C-alpha cells in the first residue's frame, strides 16, 4: 500500500501551518526574530521515537502540502526498536520522515521488509512522493555518528547545512575507492545496466569524478527529476528483488552479509551522475581543509580531505525556535570552552580504532602467509 492510500482525512482550510509551508528560499538570511510565531508551534522537528511520527511532516502530509517544505530529512531505519537511536532527530530543526524495514508501523513500514538496504528506502520515498516532492530531501542513515562522517554528527550537519544554490551534496567525508567502482561496474548487474541505459557508461570516466562512499546526501527535487519516474521505479524493483541481490552479492569480506550486493558500492559513487551532476572534483567541491566545529571550536577532521567545510557553515534560524535543538546548541557551545582544539566526539572513536587495528593485523598476517604468486595476482586484480 502506498503512502497516499493510508493518508488520513483532514481539514483543507487555511491554517497557521500555511505560514510554515511557505518557507522563504532565503531562510539562511532570515533571523529567528523574523520568523512567524507560528513556526514556534509547528515549524521545527518534533520526532516521536515510539511510533516514528514527526509532527511537522505529518501535518504537511495530511494536508497534501509536502511539496512546500523547504527540506525534509528522510531516514532509513532497521529493526524494532530501531538498531540506531533516533532521538538525535530532535537535535536538528527539519521535518522528518522515517522509512523502516519493520512491519506494523503504518506508512513508515516498507512492504518488502529488510531488503535493498537504504537504497530501497530512498527509492520508495522518491517514487511515492514524486508529485509532492519537498524542495530538498536529505537522505540519511539512522545513526547520528559514523566512521564515514569523520567528526561530523548528522544533527550538527543538518543544524548548519548550507544548501542555497546547490543541487546535490554528499553528507559523508570518506572518498570511495574508484577501483571498487569500476570492478563492480564490470559485473554488469541489473543496476549497472539500468544506469548505462539511462546515463551512459559513467565508470569509463575519470576515476577522480566518483563521489564519496556510503550514500547520504542532500538533493533538490529538480535534480531528482533529472531522471524520469520510470527510472526510479525500475531501480526500486531491482533493489527489492531479494533473490537477485543474494545471487549478486559481494564475495570475500562481505560473505556474511548476504544483502550486500555488488550494486551497493557501485551506486555509492554514482549518485551525483543520477542526479545530473556530471563531475565532482572533491577537493574543489567540498574543500580541502581541516574543519572546525562552528559551535564548539573543536577539530572535526584528522585529514584535510575529509571535510564538508564548504557546506556545513550556515546555522539554521529555525533551530532557535526548537527548545530541544536550541538546548543542544547552547550545550555544545558551553562544552566548547573546555573542548576547544580537541578532536570532536566520534571522529576517531574507540570502536573504529579497534576495528581498524584488527583489520590491519589481519592484513599483516595474510601478507606473511601469501605466496609470491598470490601477491602478484592480488596486485593485478587491484589494478583492473
Amino acid at each position: 500500500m502506498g503512502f497516499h492510500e493510508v493518508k488520513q482525512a483532514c481539514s483543507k482550510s487555511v491554517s497557521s501551518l500555511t505560514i510554515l509551508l511557505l518557507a522563504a528560499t532565503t531562510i539562511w538570511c532570515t533571523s529567528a526574530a523574523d520568523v512567524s510565531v507560528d513556526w514556534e508551534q509547528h515549524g521545527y522537528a518534533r520526532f516521536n521515537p515510539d511510533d516514528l511520527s514527526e509532527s511537522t511532516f505529518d501535518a504537511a502530509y495530511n494536508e497534501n502540502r509536502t511539496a512546500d517544505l523547504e527540506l525534509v530529512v528522510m531516514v532509513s531505519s532497521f529493526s524494532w526498536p530501531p538498531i540506531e537511536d533516533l532521538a538525535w532527530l530532535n537535535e536538528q530543526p527539519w521535518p522528518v520522515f522515517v522509512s523502516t524495514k519493520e512491519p506494523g508501523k503504518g506508512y513508515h513500514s516498507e512492504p518488502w521488509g529488510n531488503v535493498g538496504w537504504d537504497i530501497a528506502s530512498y527509492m520508495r520515498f522518491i517514487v511515492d512522493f514524486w508529485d509532492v516532492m519537498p524542495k530538498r530531501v536529505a537522505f540519511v542513515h539512522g545513526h547520528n555518528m559514523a566512521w564515514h562522517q569523520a567528526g561530523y554528527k548528522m544533527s550538527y550537519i543538518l543544524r548548519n547545512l548550507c544548501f542555497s544554490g546547490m543541487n546535490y551534496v554528499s553528507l559523508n567525508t570518506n572518498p570511495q575507492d574508484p577501483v571498487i567502482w569500476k570492478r563492480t561496474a564490470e559485473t554488469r548487474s541489473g543496476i549497472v545496466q539500468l544506469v548505462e541505459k539511462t546515463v551512459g557508461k559513467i565508470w569509463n570516466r575519470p576515476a577522480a569524478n566518483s563521489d564519496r562512499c556510503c550514500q547520504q546526501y542532500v538533493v533538490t527535487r529538480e535534480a531528482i527529476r533529472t531522471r524520469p519516474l520510470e527510472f526510479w521505479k525500475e531501480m526500486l524493483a531491482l533493489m527489492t528483488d531479494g533473490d537477485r541481490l543474494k545471487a549478486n552479492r559481494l564475495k570475500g569480506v562481505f560473505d556474511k552479509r548476504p544483502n550486500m550486493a555488488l550494486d551497493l558500492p557501485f551506486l555509492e559513487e554514482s549518485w551525483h551522475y543520477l542526479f545530473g551532476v556530471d563531475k565532482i572534483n572533491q577537493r574543489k567541491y567540498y574543500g580541502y581543509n581541516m574543519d572546525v566545529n562552528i559551535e564548539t571550536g573543536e577539530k572535526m577532521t584528522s585529514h584535510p580531505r575529509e571535510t564538508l567545510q564548504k557546506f556545513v557553515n550556515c546555522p539554521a534560524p529555525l533551530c532557535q525556535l526548537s527548545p530541544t535543538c536550541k538546548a543542544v546548541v547552547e550545550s555544545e557551545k558551553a562544552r566548547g570552552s573546555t573542548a576547544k582544539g580537541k578532536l570532536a566526539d566520534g571522529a576517531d572513536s574507540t570502536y573504529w580504532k579497534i576495528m581498524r587495528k584488527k583489520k590491519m593485523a589481519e592484513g599483516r598476517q595474510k601478507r606473511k602467509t601469501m605466496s609470491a604468486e598470490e601477491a602478484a595476482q592480488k596486485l593485478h586484480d587491484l589494478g583492473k
Side-chain angles (χ1 to χ4, degrees):
M1 181 178 292
F3 290 119
H4 301 289
E5 281 83 356
V6 296
K7 187 173 178 181
Q8 299 176 9
C10 63
S11 170
K12 297 297 183 180
S13 61
V14 177
S15 67
S16 59
L17 181 63
T18 304
I19 299 173
L20 156 68
L21 298 171
L22 295 177
T25 56
T26 56
I27 187 168
W28 298 124
C29 302
T30 306
S31 70
D34 293 332
V35 180
S36 168
V37 68
D38 285 7
W39 282 63
E40 189 170 358
Q41 297 177 4
H42 303 287
Y44 51 80
R46 292 184 296 176
F47 176 70
N48 184 350
D50 294 333
D51 62 5
L52 305 182
S53 65
E54 193 281 303
S55 58
T56 304
F57 181 87
D58 289 349
Y61 171 76
N62 288 333
E63 293 194 3
N64 201 29
R65 298 173 185 268
T66 53
D68 294 320
L69 293 174
E70 193 72 32
L71 172 69
V72 167
V73 181
M74 194 268 122
V75 184
S76 176
S77 181
F78 302 82
S79 301
W80 193 262
I83 195 168
E84 304 282 359
D85 183 358
L86 300 178
W88 66 268
L89 290 168
N90 281 319
E91 298 177 5
Q92 60 82 45
W94 302 106
V96 172
F97 177 79
V98 176
S99 186
T100 180
K101 306 294 185 180
E102 295 302 302
K105 301 301 174 186
Y107 77 159
H108 298 282
S109 294
E110 299 175 23
W112 40 80
N114 193 8
V115 176
W117 284 50
D118 45 1
I119 299 174
S121 305
Y122 297 175
M123 296 306 98
R124 176 205 186 201
F125 188 90
I126 289 175
V127 169
D128 282 331
F129 279 88
W130 184 261
D131 292 327
V132 287
M133 189 71 64
K135 295 178 183 179
R136 297 170 182 83
V137 184
F139 293 98
V140 302
H141 304 163
H143 50 68
N144 194 21
M145 190 67 247
W147 64 270
H148 49 82
Q149 293 167 207
Y152 297 87
K153 292 180 181 179
M154 187 56 66
S155 54
Y156 169 82
I157 293 174
L158 294 171
R159 288 198 301 269
N160 299 288
L161 183 64
C162 308
F163 55 59
S164 179
M166 69 80 185
N167 286 324
Y168 164 90
V169 172
S170 173
L171 299 180
N172 296 303
T173 61
N174 281 57
Q176 183 64 286
D177 183 352
V179 173
I180 296 176
W181 188 42
K182 290 181 177 293
R183 290 187 65 186
T184 54
E186 291 170 0
T187 64
R188 309 296 300 152
S189 72
I191 288 289
V192 173
Q193 293 181 48
L194 173 62
V195 170
E196 180 181 354
K197 179 177 70 174
T198 308
V199 188
K201 293 184 177 180
I202 56 177
W203 52 90
N204 285 340
R205 301 175 190 180
N209 292 345
S210 61
D211 200 18
R212 297 174 167 185
C213 87
C214 310
Q215 51 208 16
Q216 297 186 107
Y217 45 82
V218 177
V219 63
T220 63
R221 65 178 169 220
E222 290 79 14
I224 291 171
R225 291 171 178 169
T226 299
R227 310 300 169 195
L229 176 59
E230 290 306 314
F231 169 80
W232 301 114
K233 285 183 176 180
E234 191 170 347
M235 183 178 287
L236 177 61
L238 289 168
M239 292 310 302
T240 52
D241 183 345
D243 292 337
R244 185 192 72 85
L245 294 175
K246 289 179 181 179
N248 192 33
R249 70 180 184 175
L250 282 165
K251 302 299 181 184
V253 69
F254 294 112
D255 277 346
K256 295 181 180 180
R257 302 169 74 180
N259 278 341
M260 176 61 90
L262 286 160
D263 303 319
L264 299 175
F266 171 73
L267 282 172
E268 283 186 349
E269 298 187 62
S270 306
W271 287 111
H272 56 301
Y273 288 118
L274 303 186
F275 295 128
V277 180
D278 288 335
K279 181 179 180 180
I280 286 187
N281 181 316
Q282 292 191 37
R283 286 201 178 197
K284 292 181 179 179
Y285 199 71
Y286 298 104
Y288 190 77
N289 296 287
M290 303 292 280
D291 203 0
V292 174
N293 186 313
I294 62 175
E295 295 172 358
T296 68
E298 294 172 296
K299 293 179 180 178
M300 301 290 291
T301 55
S302 56
H303 193 285
R305 73 177 182 177
E306 297 178 354
T307 185
L308 290 169
Q309 188 178 48
K310 288 190 175 182
F311 294 103
V312 186
N313 199 30
C314 300
L318 190 57
C319 188
Q320 294 299 307
L321 299 179
S322 163
T324 306
C325 189
K326 183 178 180 180
V328 169
V329 173
E330 291 176 349
S331 174
E332 289 289 288
K333 288 181 177 179
R335 188 169 69 94
S337 61
T338 58
K340 191 170 184 177
K342 297 180 180 179
L343 198 61
D345 293 341
D348 206 7
S349 66
T350 301
Y351 171 77
W352 292 109
K353 281 183 179 178
I354 293 171
M355 291 299 291
R356 185 162 58 251
K357 287 181 179 179
K358 181 179 179 182
K359 290 291 183 184
M360 290 175 67
E362 290 175 351
R364 286 194 296 269
Q365 185 61 33
K366 284 184 178 180
R367 287 192 292 275
K368 287 180 181 178
T369 59
M370 187 181 293
S371 67
E373 292 79 8
E374 289 173 329
Q377 183 62 45
K378 181 72 172 176
L379 289 173
H380 175 74
D381 290 343
L382 289 173
K384 285 185 178 180

